[in-house]
Amino acid sequence: YTRLLRYAGVTVVIPAQACCGLPALTGGVTGPMKAGMERNLASFGPYLDAGYEVVTPCPSCAMMLREEWPRRARGSGLRKDADALAARMTTLAALLGEAPVMGDAGSPLELVYFTPCHEKACGDTTHLELLRARVGTRVTVIDDVCCGSGGTFGMKRKNRRISGALGEQLAARLGRAGPGQLVSPCGMCREQLAAISGKPVVHPAELLARAL
């Protein structure tokens, strides 16, 4: 990701950082989430003051930084810092979409794009638009079924039946989608898609790199 951004003309620094806290939050463990948020805000603060933006390739992380951090920081001295970071947060796809050196991928592909729940909830279609414009001759979108993972949901024994049923739905949906390179910007979705399909699944950035 950093090489891709630098090639697109973006100056990149990587401050010390912890997880965005979504896995802990979905598991009902708010203490570690808030501790990680505090560490991240302290680490990113000087760069925000210097004019940098914060970028992430993951829709779930983007949702946490934009929505949950300001919400969880209410009533504390961190609210101002969380709001400032949320206002300066962008996605990898958004930056690449603005890159003046973006060209044509040269070797168009048939793609099957799985839309993660957080990307769908945010209404962000930038990844999909870039793939259609730069990479795909045919892009089949799957956005009507959950992958069955849902962060920590699919890892819990009590959810095995529901997660398995959702996985079966996804397998059937993949079968109807036909052949094509599987693509998704969510790491957990990629793991689940690979396990169900037995095929490699890539982040959109891996394909967009060919268009630089």
Side-chain angles (χ1 to χ4, degrees), residues 73-77 79:
R74 287 175 184 166
S76 73
R79 179 60 189 270

Side-chain angles (χ1 to χ4, degrees), residues 4 21 30 37 45 86 107 110 120 154 166 177 197-198:
L4 185 59
T30 58
M37 178 182 68
S107 300
E110 290 193 358
K120 184 176 180 179
L166 290 170
S197 68

